[in-house]
Amino acid sequence: MKNYGDPSSTIPYQCFMGRWEGLCKTFSPRGEFIEAAAVHMDVYWNEVGKSWHLMEDFENLYEVGKTVFHTDIFVEGKYCWAVSDQLSLEGTELTPFNYVFVIDSKVSNTLVFNNHYFLDPNTRRIITHKLQNGKTYVFQIQDFVRIQQPWRI
């Protein structure tokens, strides 16, 4: 049984918990649209307030293809981090509904800067700037809708 936590909790990263469906749009460094692909995400606590699991399933990760990430992310207050065969990650809560992440992706060989904005409790936008060899590689916008939210036991 997955632990999506208490939806009324204000602890950092609680707002990420649940199942999400999204669309990732990719743009060139000059802003030209390149492609769009579906993304499926399931996020749940391993231990509430201490670590959470992120499953992110890209139907087509730009220039990589079908890719599924499984990452355990550890939390200390507003800060989080992860290290796996696929990536290393650091994140910070700036406000209760705005988070930033820096991800070194071993899958796409890019340095990824993500800014997560929760437009409302069930709608999230991620604005991504990807670098490869120190230069802007692509920009991406991912829009997600929560399809299964935490519920109280």
Side-chain angles (χ1 to χ4, degrees), residues 113-130:
F113 297 91
N114 276 351
N115 196 328
H116 292 242
Y117 298 92
F118 286 81
L119 304 173
D120 64 45
N122 294 310
T123 309
R124 176 169 39 130
R125 171 168 280 170
I126 305 170
I127 299 176
T128 301
H129 181 184
K130 287 187 175 182

Side-chain angles (χ1 to χ4, degrees), residues 8 105 110 120 122 138:
S8 65
S105 173
T110 55
D120 64 45
N122 294 310
V138 293

Side-chain angles (χ1 to χ4, degrees), residues 81-137:
W81 78 97
V83 176
S84 74
D85 291 341
Q86 295 177 308
L87 58 83
S88 61
L89 167 152
E90 292 184 72
T92 305
E93 177 194 77
L94 299 180
T95 71
F97 297 101
N98 187 213
Y99 292 77
V100 291
F101 293 87
V102 177
I103 304 159
D104 186 355
S105 173
K106 297 170 190 155
V107 174
S108 63
N109 297 311
T110 55
L111 186 60
V112 179
F113 297 91
N114 276 351
N115 196 328
H116 292 242
Y117 298 92
F118 286 81
L119 304 173
D120 64 45
N122 294 310
T123 309
R124 176 169 39 130
R125 171 168 280 170
I126 305 170
I127 299 176
T128 301
H129 181 184
K130 287 187 175 182
L131 302 176
Q132 199 169 59
N133 301 319
K135 295 184 179 179
T136 298
Y137 175 59

